C-alpha cells in the first residue's frame, strides 16, 4: 500500500494579529505549525500502513522552513518526505499549487502508484479547500471531501468505503482506488509519537525538489505566472453591532416577537397587514 | 520490543546549562541526546535579560561569526532608586562598552536558546523537543542509568545523565541530590513583559545613538513597594523588557499579586513615559532560585550531575545566571568526558565537577554572596527606606529654597535620623558589607 499525504505549513492563526493600518496579516514572530487537519491525514495514512504494510510519503510545497512540518510528519510515522521548494513556485494560487502537487504525485506514482492520496479538508490560513479537489481533477481520480472515517480499505480488490460529513448527516460512499480524500480531524485522532520515531525524525532530512529537478515542472503553470487569482483587497469586516437580548420568560412570547420585529424594522408593515386582514385601523 | 536506545550521555533541558553541556560533550566525541519539553529549546524560557558573553566564548570561541541573535549591546547600565514620585539614578556609560563583541547583550530567550541549541546540534548532539523527562532510571546499585519520558517507548539509557532542568528541580530531588523543594524564602518570583516599540522611538527615549547601543537598568525601592526585590528595564532591538521580582515569601506575606506589582511599577511617574505607546507582546512569570551557596544540592551522584538553576547557580545581586549555567554545563560535560575515558561514573569520580566549579567564579561568587538573601530577609526595610531617603535628600539638595545651605544640610541629616537612627544605619551598612564580603 502506498499512501501520499499533501500537507501545508501555516501560521498559527490562533496567534495571528492583523496590522490595523494595512489590514494584512502580521506574519513576523507568528509561529508556523502544520495545518491542523493535515496531521490527521498523516495519521490516517499511517494507520493504513500499520494495517496493510507499505509506505507513507508526505509532500509539501513551501519555503525551506516548511521542512519542519515534514519532519513532524516523519515523527508521526511517515516514511518519506518531499519538500517542493523553489522561488519559482512562490506566489502560487490554488490552481498553480494543485498543478505542482499533482505533477509531483504523478512522478511518485511512476515509482510506486499511490492507492490513496490524503489532504486536510482546508488550510487554516486561506480556507479555500480547493487544492485537494484540484489535484483529484488533474489526476482524474475519485474525490471524497470532508472524510471522517475509512470504514474499509482493500488494496487488493482496490475498493474502499469512506464516510463523509454533509450538512444533513453522514454520507457513506464506496469508491474504487486510488482515491483522493480531504479529511476532517475525526478521520484519525493524532497519537503521541513514540520516542524512537522522534529520534528518527530529528535526524531526517526531507528530499528537496526544485522546479527543474528531479522533476521538471511547466514554468507557465507554476508560481505567480501560473496563478490567475487576483486579490482585490483584504480587509477586516467591521464588527457587527451587538443585538438586543429579549428574554421570553420576562415578557412573554408575543412581546418578544414584537420587539424582534421592531428591531428588524418590519413591525409596522406587519402591524398594518395584520390590522388590514382583521379590518381594523392602526393608529 | 524495540532495541534499547543507548547513548553516551543524556542531557535534560534545553536552557543554557543543558545546551553548553550537550555542545561540549558532542565536540568531545560522545553520542549525546538532549531532551527538552518545550516546543523548541527556549520556548518557555524567560529571563531579564542581560547575557554575558564571556561564558559563551568559553564554550564557543567563534560564537561571533555564528551570528548570535543578540538584541543590543549594553553600552549604559546602572541603578535607579525609586521613591513613590522620584528617582535617583546612577548610570554608567563608557566607550569601553562599545567595542563589539561586547561583554553583555540584551537577549530574548525565545530567540537565543534555539540558536544556542542549534550550535550543539551542529556539533553532533541529538536534540529531542516536546518531550518531558518524567523520571530517572536506576540500576540495582542505585546508579542512574537513563531516563524515562512521557512518550511511548520513551526510555533512553546512558551511563551519565546531566540534569539541567532549571528551577523546577523535580529530577534533582529524585536523584536524591537535594532533600526538598525550595522554600518560598529562597526562591524569587519574577514577572516580565516584553513591549515592542519601533527602534527609532526607543532610541530617542533612552538616548541611544543607534541600534548598537542599549541600556540595562536595575531598579530598587518603590518598584517593589520598598520590599526586598528588584525591578528591571532593558532595551531590546525593537522593544523593552520590563519586570519585577521579589522573594515568593514576600508575595505571600503581603498578599501581593505579581501582575499587580508589575502594573503598579509600569505606572510609576518616572517609568510610564518610557513605555507609552508600546505594545505588549509577551508576558510571563518565572522563578529564580536564591537558596545560596549553603543550600545548594549536591552536584553529583552515581551516574548523574546537576547544573544551572536546578543547582541554584544564580548570583541575584549581579543578575547573573545564564553565564553560571553555561560554565557549569561545560564543567559537567568535561567531567563526563573524563568519566568515559576512565569508565568510572561513580559519585566519587564525578565529584571532580564540583572541584572545578569551586575553582571558578561560579562557586567563588556563590560563596561570597552566601548571606545576601538572609541579609535582605533580616533587613526588610532596607530598600524602601534608603531609596526614599536618597530621593528626599536629593530633592532638598537640588532645590533652591532661599534658605541657607547649612540649614538644608541639617534638614537632610535630621531626615536621616527620623527614618533610621545613626546606629541603625551603621548597623545596616556593616551587615551589608559582611553580606557582600562573604
Ligand atoms: C526574570 C528573570 C530575569 C533574569 N535575568 C537574568 C539576567 O539578566 N542575566 C542572566 O544571566 N540571568 C538572568 N536570569 C537567570 C537565568 O535565566 C537562569 O539562571 C538561566 O536561565 C539558567 O539556565 P538553565 O539552563 O539552568 O535553566 P533554564 O534556562 O530554566 O532551562 C531549563 C530547561 O529545561 C527544560 N526542562 C525542565 N524540566 C524538564 C524535563 N523534565 N524534561 C525536559 N525538559 C525539561 C525547560 O523547559 C527549560 O528549557 C534571570 C531569570 C529570571 C527568571
Amino acid at each position: 500500500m502506498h499512501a501520499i499525504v499533501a500537507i501545508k505549513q501555516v501560521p498559527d492563526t490562533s496567534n495571528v494579529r492583523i496590522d490595523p493600518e494595512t489590514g494584512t496579516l502580521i506574519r513576523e514572530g507568528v509561529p508556523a505549525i502544520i495545518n491542523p487537519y493535515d496531521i490527521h491525514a498523516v495519521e490516517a495514512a499511517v494507520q493504513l500502513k500499520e494495517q496493510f504494510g507499505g509506505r507513507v510519503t508526505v509532500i509539501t510545497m513551501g519555503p525551506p522552513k516548511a521542512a519542519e512540518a515534514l519532519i513532524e510528519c516523519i515523527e508521526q510515522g511517515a516514511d518519506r518526505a518531499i519538500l517542493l521548494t523553489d522561488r519559482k513556485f512562490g506566489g502560487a494560487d490554488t490552481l498553480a499549487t494543485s498543478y505542482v502537487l499533482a505533477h509531483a504525485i504523478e512522478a511518485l506514482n511512476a515509482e510506486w502508484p499511490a492507492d490513496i492520496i490524503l489532504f486536510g479538508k482546508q488550510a487554516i490560513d486561506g480556507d479555500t479547500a480547493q487544492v485537494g479537489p484540484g489535484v483529484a481533477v488533474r489526476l482524474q481520480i475519485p474525490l471524497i471531501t470532508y472524510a471522517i472515517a475509512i470504514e474499509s480499505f482493500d488494496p487488493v480488490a482496490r475498493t474502499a468505503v469512506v464516510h463523509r460529513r454533509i450538512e444533513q448527516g453522514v454520507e457513506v460512499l464506496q469508491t474504487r482506488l486510488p482515491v483522493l480524500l480531504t479529511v476532517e480531524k475525526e478521520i484519525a485522532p493524532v497519537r503521541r509519537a513514540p520516542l524512537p520515531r522522534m529520534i528518527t525524525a530529528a535526524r531526517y532530512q526531507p528530499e528537496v525538489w526544485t522546479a527543474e529537478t528531479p522533476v521538471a515542472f511547466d514554468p507557465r503553470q507554476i508560481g505567480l505566472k501560473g496563478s490567475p487569482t487576483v486579490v482585490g483587497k483584504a480587509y477586516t469586516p467591521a464588527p457587527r453591532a451587538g443585538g438586543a437580548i429579549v428574554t421570553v420568560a420576562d415578557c412573554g412570547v408575543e412581546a418578544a416577537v414584537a420587539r424582534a420585529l421592531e428591531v428588524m424594522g418590519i413591525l409596522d408593515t406587519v402591524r398594518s397587514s395584520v390590522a388590514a386582514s382583521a379590518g381594523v385601523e392602526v393608529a | 520490543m524495540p532495541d534499547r536506545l543507548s547513548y553516551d550521555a543524556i542531557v535534560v533541558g534545553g536552557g543554557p546549562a543543558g545546551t553548553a553541556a550537550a555542545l561540549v560533550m558532542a565536540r568531545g566525541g560522545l553520542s549525546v541526546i538532549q531532551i527538552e519539553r518545550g516546543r523548541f529549546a527556549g520556548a518557555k524560557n524567560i529571563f531579564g535579560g542581560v547575557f554575558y558573553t564571556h561564558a559563551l566564548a568559553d564554550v564557543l570561541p567563534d560564537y561571533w561569526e555564528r551570528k548570535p541573535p543578540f538584541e543590543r549591546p549594553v553600552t549604559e547600565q546602572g541603578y535607579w532608586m525609586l521613591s513613590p514620585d522620584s528617582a535617583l539614578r546612577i548610570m554608567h556609560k563608557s566607550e569601553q562598552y562599545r567595542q563589539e563583541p561586547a561583554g553583555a547583550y540584551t537577549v530574548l530567550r525565545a530567540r537565543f536558546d534555539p540558536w544556542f541549541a542549534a550550535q550543539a546540534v551542529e556539533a553532533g548532539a541529538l536534540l529531542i523537543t516536546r518531550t518531558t523527562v518524567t523520571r530517572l532510571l536506576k540500576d540495582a546499585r542505585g546508579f542512574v542509568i537513563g531516563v524515562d519520558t512521557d512518550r511511548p517507548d520513551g526510555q533512553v539509557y546512558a551511563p551519565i545523565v546531566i540534569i539541567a532542568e532549571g528551577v523546577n528541580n523535580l529530577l534533582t530531588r529524585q536523584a536524591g541530590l537535594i532533600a526538598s523543594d525550595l522554600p518560598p524564602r529562597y526562591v524569587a518570583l519574577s514577572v516580565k513583559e516584553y513591549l515592542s516599540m519601533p527602534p527609532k522611538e526607543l532610541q530617542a527615549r533612552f538616548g541611544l545613538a543607534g541600534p548598537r547601543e542599549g541600556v540595562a537598568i536595575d531598579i530598587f525601592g518603590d518598584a517593589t513597594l520598598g520590599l526586598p526585590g528588584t525591578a528591571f528595564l532593558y532595551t531590546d532591538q525593537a522593544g523593552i523588557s520590563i519586570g519585577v521580582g521579589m522573594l515568593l515569601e514576600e508575595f505571600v506575606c503581603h498578599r501581593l499579586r505579581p501582575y499587580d506589582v508589575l502594573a503598579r511599577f509600569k505606572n510609576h511617574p518616572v517609568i510610564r513615559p518610557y513605555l507609552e505607546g508600546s505594545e505588549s507582546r509577551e508576558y510571563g512569570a518565572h522563578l529564580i532560585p536564591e537558596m545560596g551557596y549553603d543550600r545548594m544540592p549536591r552536584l553529583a551522584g552515581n551516574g548523574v550531575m546537576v547544573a544551572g538553576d536546578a543547582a541554584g547557580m544564580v548570583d541575584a545581586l549581579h543578575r547573573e545566571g545564564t553565564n553560571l549555567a553555561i560554565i557549569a554545563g561545560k564543567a559537567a560535560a568535561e567531567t563526563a568526558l573524563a568519566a568515559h575515558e576512565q569508565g568510572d561514573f561513580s559519585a566519587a569520580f564525578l565529584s571532580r565537577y564540583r572541584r572545578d566549579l569551586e575553582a571558578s567564579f561560579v562557586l567563588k561568587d556563590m560563596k561570597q554572596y552566601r548571606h545576601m538573601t538572609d541579609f535582605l530577609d533580616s533587613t526588610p526595610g532596607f530598600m524602601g527606606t534608603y531609596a526614599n531617603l536618597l530621593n528626599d535628600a536629593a530633592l532638598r539638595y537640588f532645590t533652591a529654597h532661599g534658605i541657607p545651605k547649612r540649614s538644608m544640610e541639617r534638614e537632610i541629616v535630621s531626615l536621616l535620623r527620623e527614618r533610621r537612627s545613626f546606629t541603625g544605619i551603621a548597623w545596616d551598612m556593616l551587615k551589608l558589607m559582611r553580606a557582600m564580603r562573604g
Side-chain angles (χ1 to χ4, degrees):
Chain A
M1 197 269 332
H2 186 202
I4 298 177
V5 189
I7 64 133
K8 184 179 186 187
Q9 193 183 44
V10 294
D12 185 355
T13 46
S14 58
N15 258 309
V16 132
R17 286 164 319 113
I18 307 282
D19 185 326
E21 272 163 32
T22 61
T24 53
L25 291 185
I26 302 176
R27 289 192 182 237
E28 202 252 325
V30 177
I33 55 168
I34 181 165
N35 184 43
Y37 301 102
D38 301 357
I39 194 75
H40 293 267
V42 172
E43 185 67 41
V46 170
Q47 286 182 15
L48 289 175
K49 179 182 77 170
E50 282 168 0
Q51 219 179 330
F52 303 102
R55 178 198 283 173
V56 174
T57 304
V58 185
I59 60 173
T60 191
M61 183 183 85
K65 191 175 146 57
E68 300 164 0
L70 289 174
I71 286 168
E72 214 175 310
C73 298
I74 300 289
E75 288 171 3
Q76 289 308 122
D79 304 282
R80 180 181 181 195
I82 295 162
L83 174 62
L84 296 149
T85 192
D86 198 314
R87 276 179 191 281
K88 298 188 187 102
F89 290 140
D93 66 2
T94 53
L95 190 76
T97 306
S98 66
Y99 163 71
V100 171
L101 294 178
H103 197 55
I105 290 169
E106 275 166 354
L108 290 168
N109 277 341
E111 282 174 37
W112 182 347
D115 300 287
I116 183 166
I117 298 166
L118 297 121
F119 281 72
K121 75 162 175 181
Q122 64 201 41
I124 57 166
D125 61 345
D127 285 331
T128 64
Q130 290 169 352
V131 174
V135 170
V137 170
R138 288 176 187 275
L139 297 175
Q140 298 190 314
I141 60 171
L143 162 72
I144 300 177
T145 51
Y146 307 109
I148 55 170
I150 300 172
E151 186 187 298
S152 67
F153 188 86
D154 189 337
V156 181
R158 307 205 58 70
T159 59
V161 175
V162 176
H163 297 202
R164 75 181 284 256
R165 160 144 326 127
I166 55 173
E167 240 168 78
Q168 300 81 2
V170 174
E171 207 168 56
V172 179
L173 299 169
Q174 182 166 38
T175 176
R176 63 182 159 77
L177 299 182
V179 63
L180 189 147
L181 309 187
T182 75
V183 306
E184 297 270 5
K185 289 184 182 172
E186 291 100 308
I187 193 84
V190 175
R191 291 170 293 183
R192 194 157 167 76
L195 188 61
R197 286 300 312 177
M198 297 294 291
I199 291 170
T200 306
R203 294 266 190 238
Y204 186 85
Q205 300 264 354
E207 291 167 42
V208 173
W209 290 15
T210 66
E212 283 96 31
T213 56
V215 177
F217 291 86
D218 175 2
R220 284 159 308 162
Q221 293 193 65
I222 64 174
L224 264 180
K225 259 191 214 153
S227 301
T229 309
V230 179
V231 179
K233 184 182 168 197
Y235 66 97
T236 317
R240 283 202 236 168
I245 295 177
V246 183
T247 313
V248 174
D250 292 347
C251 61
V253 177
E254 274 169 49
V257 172
R259 175 90 185 94
L261 293 173
E262 188 182 40
V263 169
M264 289 154 74
I266 48 180
L267 184 61
D268 289 340
T269 346
V270 175
R271 261 199 198 140
S272 40
S273 66
V274 169
S277 64
V280 277
E281 232 169 72
V282 192
Chain B
M1 184 63 202
D3 293 341
R4 194 163 132 142
L5 296 169
S6 297
Y7 291 84
D8 292 334
I10 298 168
V11 176
V12 183
T19 296
L23 176 69
V24 171
M25 288 191 292
R27 287 212 167 159
L30 299 187
S31 67
V32 180
I33 183 169
Q34 182 184 11
I35 303 174
E36 162 61 43
R37 70 180 166 194
R39 219 162 59 78
F40 52 88
K44 292 268 154 62
N45 299 350
I46 54 172
F47 86 142
V50 176
F51 182 83
Y52 302 91
T53 49
H54 72 87
L56 188 58
D58 217 20
V59 293
L60 209 58
D62 61 344
Y63 76 87
W64 189 246
E65 284 74 55
R66 293 162 177 270
K67 301 201 169 20
F70 292 151
E71 296 294 312
R72 285 171 185 270
V74 177
T75 53
E76 185 177 349
Q77 51 193 321
Y79 301 114
W80 289 4
M81 258 73 69
L82 293 194
S83 73
D85 64 357
S86 328
L88 185 77
R89 308 173 177 186
I90 304 169
M91 296 298 288
H92 185 235
K93 193 171 184 169
S94 167
E95 282 300 305
Q96 307 276 335
Y97 291 138
R98 290 165 53 97
Q99 280 165 28
E100 295 204 63
Y105 286 88
T106 51
V107 147
L108 295 173
R109 297 284 296 276
R111 288 186 195 148
F112 178 81
D113 287 14
W115 170 85
F116 193 30
Q119 310 309 312
V121 169
E122 204 190 298
L126 179 69
L127 172 66
I128 301 296
T129 56
R130 287 160 291 142
T131 305
T132 303
V133 172
T134 50
R135 69 192 171 97
L136 299 169
L137 303 174
K138 294 181 189 171
D139 69 5
R141 300 170 302 163
F143 273 58
V144 173
I145 51 161
V147 301
D148 198 1
T149 64
D150 64 343
R151 290 198 175 267
D153 305 327
Q155 308 198 333
V156 206
Y157 295 85
I160 195 99
V161 175
I162 296 181
I163 303 175
E165 60 182 340
V167 63
N168 292 317
N169 57 359
L170 297 163
L171 298 171
T172 310
R173 268 185 276 159
Q174 214 200 79
L177 298 176
I178 194 164
S180 65
D181 199 358
L182 303 178
R185 218 185 130 164
Y186 295 119
V187 55
L189 175 65
S190 210
V191 278
K192 177 205 169 158
E193 193 170 359
Y194 173 68
L195 305 163
S196 71
M197 188 183 287
K200 286 239 165 65
E201 180 64 33
L202 182 81
Q203 283 151 208
R205 282 188 199 187
F206 287 88
L208 305 172
R212 309 316 302 158
E213 292 195 359
V215 290
I217 309 157
D218 289 298
I219 302 162
F220 307 97
D222 192 61
T224 52
L225 294 88
L227 298 166
T230 55
F232 57 84
L233 186 62
Y234 304 147
T235 55
D236 297 306
Q237 195 270 318
I240 294 172
S241 287
I242 186 167
V244 289
M246 292 197 281
L247 290 179
L248 202 50
E249 189 182 54
E250 303 290 346
F251 284 110
V252 178
C253 286
H254 297 90
R255 294 166 186 269
L256 293 167
R257 281 187 307 184
Y259 300 113
D260 293 342
V261 178
L262 178 58
R264 186 181 171 279
F265 169 53
K266 282 169 61 184
N267 211 25
H268 187 281
V270 172
I271 303 296
R272 199 176 46 221
Y274 288 95
L275 315 178
E276 249 152 46
S278 62
E279 202 186 321
S280 179
R281 288 298 181 101
E282 198 181 294
Y283 208 112
H286 204 282
L287 298 172
I288 305 175
E290 300 203 0
M291 66 259 250
Y293 183 80
D294 298 305
R295 278 163 295 270
M296 283 173 74
R298 283 193 297 128
L299 299 185
N302 291 319
V304 65
M305 288 179 276
V306 55
D309 273 11
M313 295 170 183
V314 163
D315 170 358
L317 184 67
H318 297 94
R319 52 153 150 78
E320 292 180 27
T322 51
N323 51 337
L324 279 67
I326 288 175
I327 296 300
K330 179 188 176 219
E334 283 167 349
T335 296
L337 286 164
H340 266 283
E341 224 158 78
Q342 297 290 314
D344 184 353
F345 304 98
S346 66
F349 185 85
L350 300 182
S351 67
R352 154 197 157 145
Y353 163 48
R354 179 164 190 128
R355 277 200 305 281
D356 288 351
L357 285 183
E358 293 279 6
S360 87
F361 80 98
V362 174
L363 288 185
K364 286 207 169 108
D365 286 356
M366 295 276 307
K367 207 167 183 172
Q368 180 175 348
Y369 301 120
R370 72 205 292 178
H371 301 306
M372 212 54 209
T373 308
D374 285 328
F375 162 72
L376 289 173
D377 213 45
S378 68
T379 323
F382 186 77
M383 300 225 174
T385 311
Y386 290 100
N388 286 344
L389 210 57
L390 288 168
N391 277 285
D392 290 346
L395 187 68
R396 281 170 181 73
Y397 182 83
F398 289 117
T399 321
H401 283 298
I403 55 168
K405 292 293 179 240
R406 179 59 50 84
S407 5
M408 179 272 291
E409 283 159 17
R410 257 189 247 121
E411 216 176 295
I412 292 180
V413 170
S414 70
L415 253 179
L416 288 176
R417 303 181 70 157
E418 259 167 51
R419 310 276 173 86
R420 190 102 177 94
S421 68
F422 277 138
T423 42
I425 295 174
W427 186 230
D428 287 348
M429 292 306 146
L430 196 69
K431 266 174 45 183
L432 176 63
M433 264 166 57
R434 281 215 198 109
M436 301 265 294
R437 288 185 38 200

